[in-house]
Amino acid sequence: EIVLTQSPATLSLSPGERATLSCRASQSVSTYLAWYQQKPGQAPRLLIYDAFNRATGIPARFSGSGSGTDFILTVSSLEPEDFAVYYCQQRNNWPLTFGPGTKVDIK
Amino acid sequence: EVQLAESGGGLVQPGGSLRLSCAASGFTLSSYEMSWVRQPPGKGLEWVSSVTGSGDTTYYADSVEGRFTISRDSSKNTLYLQMNSLRVEDTAVYYCARDLGGTSHYWGQGTLATVSS
């Protein structure tokens, strides 16, 4: 099973600041990595798939990069609605696995 | 518009069974890979099971293998998760999702299954 590790666990930032979230895989997942955003009481929402492709309707301030074992999700300038938990997920191997999440909260 | 609506959650005793349903609209269920993902209260996401578009192949997490069964009814455009021999640690919100190659592009709002005596 591929284990995903996310850092930091919590990121405290102000609106307008840049957020950089990391996801590391225990073995290569090529570019088969997705990022999801989840707000309290809501279902997850797909942001980025296959490392760098924005999902339908996702603003350009969200971007993804990386390949192999190291991946980054960047939010270029945080909007109030971006404060949430972010999960990475790999689809390179079964079982599909998720990272533990990074909470982005308001400083 | 793609919509997914889960139902069937509730309170069940350890060792009991539940069948979750996911009614799909806006697309034909049998044309897509579908998954179930769960989230215990206050915790992260855990993939549970997937079925390919053709329905020929199913996948399960080790934690549910042999106890849970994913299936679908094309005539009702509905996905199911039959959960047997339930354990306290199966307590979670269960989401269904429409996938593309293992990435969940569309999610339902979830249904809560609570296993407790």
Side-chain angles (χ1 to χ4, degrees), chain B:
Chain B
E1 180 188 4
V2 172
Q3 291 190 339
L4 298 165
E6 301 93 337
S7 60
L11 176 63
V12 63
Q13 291 188 338
S17 298
L18 277 177
R19 188 178 79 158
L20 306 183
S21 300
C22 171
S25 58
F27 70 101
T28 301
L29 195 73
S30 58
S31 297
Y32 290 89
E33 176 185 324
M34 298 294 294
S35 289
W36 288 96
V37 175
R38 68 184 180 183
Q39 186 170 38
K43 296 189 177 181
L45 301 170
E46 179 189 15
W47 170 77
V48 173
S49 180
S50 297
V51 59
T52 57
S54 64
D56 291 346
T57 306
T58 56
Y59 302 89
Y60 297 95
D62 286 348
S63 58
V64 307
E65 179 84 54
R67 300 188 297 124
F68 290 12
T69 303
I70 191 170
S71 64
R72 61 191 185 194
D73 184 333
S74 297
S75 67
K76 296 182 179 179
N77 216 36
T78 299
L79 179 74
Y80 300 102
L81 186 67
Q82 178 67 44
M83 306 190 296
N84 299 331
S85 303
L86 283 162
R87 305 168 180 168
V88 170
E89 56 266 33
D90 294 319
T91 295
V93 173
Y94 285 76
Y95 297 100
C96 69
R98 192 183 95 173
D99 286 8
L100 184 62
T103 299
S104 295
H105 285 251
Y106 295 94
W107 296 68
Q109 284 306 302
T111 187
L112 176 62
T114 302
V115 185
S116 174
S117 55

Side-chain angles (χ1 to χ4, degrees), chain A residues 6-62:
Chain A
Q6 291 187 243
S7 61
T10 304
L11 193 55
S12 296
L13 295 167
S14 300
E17 289 193 295
R18 183 184 188 90
T20 303
L21 288 67
S22 173
C23 178
R24 176 164 289 179
S26 60
Q27 64 189 78
S28 176
V29 297
S30 184
T31 57
Y32 298 133
L33 188 107
W35 291 92
Y36 301 87
Q37 177 194 67
Q38 188 179 34
K39 299 177 184 178
Q42 296 186 16
R45 176 175 73 145
L46 178 65
L47 298 175
I48 301 288
Y49 64 96
D50 293 349
F52 52 82
N53 297 291
R54 270 190 302 277
T56 304
I58 301 303
R61 64 181 181 273
F62 292 93

Side-chain angles (χ1 to χ4, degrees), chain A residues 4-5 10 16 29 69 75-76 82 89-90:
Chain A
L4 299 178
T5 304
T10 304
V29 297
T69 60
V75 188
S76 59
D82 299 335
Q89 178 238 328
Q90 67 82 24

